[in-house]
Every structure is written in C-alpha cells, then in structure tokens.
Amino acid sequence: MHKFTLEILFQIIGIGSASGLMFKNNQLLVVGDNSSYLYEYNIENKVLERHPLTENPSENIAKKDKPDFEAITEFDNKIYIFGSGSTEKRTKMVQLDTKTRAVETTTDLSDLYLSMQTFAELPEGDLNIEGVVRKDNEWYFFNRGNGAKGKNIVFTVQGKNLTEEFNIITNQYKLPKIKGIRTSFTDAVLVGDKIYFLATAENTDSTYNDGEVLGSIIGSIDTKTMKIGFTKKITDAHKFEGLTLYKETEKELTFLLCEDNDTEELKANIFKLTLNK
C-alpha cells in the first residue's frame, strides 16, 4: 500500500533555500525562506523570473532579518504567501494577483499568530508555520513541531478574515520518528478532501537553528475527520520543505517536492514523488 518512487526531476539555478511550491499551468512557483522574491520557473522553456514581494527585495537575507516565507497557496484567483511567525519579522501574508503576480496587499498576521500560540499553549518561539491550505471557508495552518514542546499542530481558522474576526480550532498530531527523532510538519497541499503533508526529522529543538537532517515522510489527513490516513518514509537524507500536486490519475498521485539546503548556494533541486493511491 502507498508504494512510491522518488527521483530528482531538474535543478533550478538562482533559487536558494526553497521552502514552498505551487504548480500551475506548467509554471512552478517557488518561495525561499531567505528571499523576498516569488520565483516563477517555466518547466518547458527553463526560464526563471523573479517577482518582488517587498519594496526592497533581496536574496540570501540574514537569518535575523529574513521574512521567512515558508508557505504558498492559491484560492479564488489569488496567491497567498505566508511568513512562519517564528519571530516578529516573520508575520506577513502577501496576496498577489494570480495572472500578473503583482502584490495586491501585505497583511500583518501578528494577532492571529499570537492567538494560535496562546490557544495551543506554545512557548515563545515555538510557533513555526510551514504550510497553509485553504478549503472552502477554512484555512489550515501547519505548525512544525520542532520547538521545545514538539507540538505538530494543524490550526483550522474560520471567520471573515485572518486579522480581526476569526475562530481557531486545533488538532495536534504525534508523527512518526526517524532514527529516534520525531518528524515535524514542513508543508501541505490539498487534493480533493485530503491534505497531503510533508514532515522532516531534524536533530534540533529550535525553530530558529538548523540541525542534522535524518529524513522525511509524506502522509495524509482527511479534512472531514482531521485524522491521519497514512504516513510513509520517503527518504533518509533529504529535508523536503515544499509540496505541490503535479499530476493525478485514477491510480496515482504525482507531487513535486523541493529541498531546503540551508545554505547560501542559489540552486534548488526539484524532486518528483509518485505515490500509489
């Protein structure tokens, strides 16, 4: 059950520390956690474009200053990019036009992130949003449990907006271990009524400092029950941080994955993961 194949598909020169993916119309949209650009890569023509997300965009931003864009998703013809919330400088949500890739609004989600942290009884520094999914009228925020408390949480946010009128529901998950280290959420994508997620084992108890990478898993959550359907280890070596649906058939799902290399080297390896349904 859930047999898989994993292979490197191509490499993009010019992107460092890729942390979020979205595939649309043969274009691969990529965010990097140390960059303030949205990258657009044409898979057929192998052309890379950059779209600024801030007024003075740059790459390889110092860790203490970076906006830490970790999640990208699309809903109602808009693209949304989210900071992780792990420091005061990482709380922005950027909304872009799907066609032009132009920034329409930038919203500070400090109140939402603080509410999540308080509601889940997370210590300061333990909030670390790595994936965001939108389904109907609900947002799903995936907190990576690599902080001191090790809480892998999905925050379901309901309401008119993400700044003033919202309601939060939490579901906490005990994910599998790799080599004795608990895996923690690194991204998620919606496929039908299921959310497929990535989780990585990294030997650190900090949302700020990196550690030894021990591998990654893929799994699913049913949005109706919020229960995990399955988990499967897919690597012992890679820290996968981005996940997007590439193709779907009656029997298989094919995803594209990106790896955060945690270096200043501007290249991103894109992997193809084919999974039996």
Side-chain angles (χ1 to χ4, degrees):
M1 188 178 180
H2 297 296
K3 293 181 180 179
F4 74 94
T5 58
L6 178 68
E7 59 185 305
I8 187 166
L9 192 60
F10 51 82
Q11 185 178 83
I12 305 174
I13 303 299
I15 301 176
S17 295
S19 58
L21 294 179
M22 191 176 83
F23 177 73
K24 184 177 177 65
N25 299 329
N26 210 40
Q27 307 285 329
L28 188 63
L29 301 179
V30 186
V31 290
D33 62 19
N34 63 353
S35 170
S36 50
Y37 287 100
L38 169 66
Y39 301 93
E40 181 175 359
Y41 184 72
N42 186 299
I43 295 176
E44 183 177 349
N45 299 330
K46 300 180 180 179
V47 174
L48 179 66
E49 295 183 65
R50 293 171 174 83
H51 305 282
L53 297 174
T54 62
E55 285 189 1
N56 298 299
S58 59
E59 296 167 307
N60 279 332
I61 303 170
K63 179 173 282 194
K64 64 182 180 64
D65 298 320
K66 69 181 186 179
D68 202 28
F69 291 124
E70 292 280 1
I72 179 171
T73 192
E74 181 188 22
F75 179 76
D76 198 21
N77 293 318
K78 304 295 180 185
I79 296 169
Y80 297 89
I81 296 170
F82 295 83
S84 67
S86 55
T87 72
E88 293 180 354
K89 295 183 178 181
R90 303 176 178 184
T91 60
K92 298 297 189 292
M93 176 185 74
V94 183
Q95 177 185 309
L96 300 92
D97 181 86
T98 300
K99 292 182 180 179
T100 66
R101 317 298 197 215
V103 173
E104 294 182 334
T105 60
T106 299
T107 305
D108 188 344
L109 298 183
S110 295
D111 289 345
L112 174 66
Y113 285 168
L114 181 59
S115 297
M116 289 177 176
Q117 183 178 329
T118 302
F119 191 57
E121 298 181 343
L122 290 170
E124 185 176 355
D126 265 26
L127 186 74
N128 190 14
I129 302 301
E130 295 267 343
V132 180
V133 170
R134 173 73 182 248
K135 183 178 186 294
D136 300 327
N137 296 317
E138 295 181 321
W139 294 89
Y140 299 90
F141 288 77
F142 282 70
N143 185 69
R144 185 178 179 192
N146 62 333
K149 289 289 186 179
K151 289 187 176 183
N152 284 295
I153 298 171
V154 177
F155 295 96
T156 304
V157 182
Q158 306 164 330
K160 290 184 179 180
N161 55 56
L162 294 175
T163 55
E164 297 172 352
E165 300 180 41
F166 53 78
N167 180 55
I168 298 174
I169 301 169
T170 63
N171 287 277
Q172 186 172 338
Y173 299 91
K174 192 173 184 179
L175 298 179
K177 292 181 178 180
I178 299 177
K179 300 175 185 176
I181 300 297
R182 186 80 59 191
T183 55
S184 52
F185 290 129
T186 52
D187 205 4
V189 65
L190 181 69
V191 182
D193 287 330
K194 293 181 180 179
I195 298 174
Y196 287 81
F197 65 83
L198 291 173
T200 289
E202 190 173 4
N203 196 4
T204 180
D205 59 359
S206 169
T207 61
Y208 190 82
N209 296 314
D210 300 316
E212 180 189 3
V213 176
L214 303 174
S216 300
I217 68 169
I218 191 168
S220 71
I221 294 174
D222 189 313
T223 56
K224 295 179 181 178
T225 64
M226 294 306 291
K227 292 183 178 180
I228 289 180
F230 80 98
T231 59
K232 184 81 173 180
K233 185 174 73 170
I234 55 175
T235 177
D236 284 315
H238 300 288
K239 179 184 178 182
F240 290 128
E241 286 211 7
L243 178 70
T244 187
L245 182 66
Y246 185 47
K247 296 176 183 177
E248 181 177 10
T249 67
E250 186 177 337
K251 295 182 178 180
E252 292 181 334
L253 292 170
T254 302
F255 299 96
L256 298 182
L257 287 68
C258 66
E259 182 180 19
D260 186 350
N261 53 30
D262 287 331
T263 72
E264 295 185 359
E265 192 174 13
L266 293 179
K267 67 177 183 180
N269 293 324
I270 305 300
F271 292 78
K272 182 175 74 172
L273 173 69
T274 302
L275 189 71
N276 287 358
K277 288 184 177 179

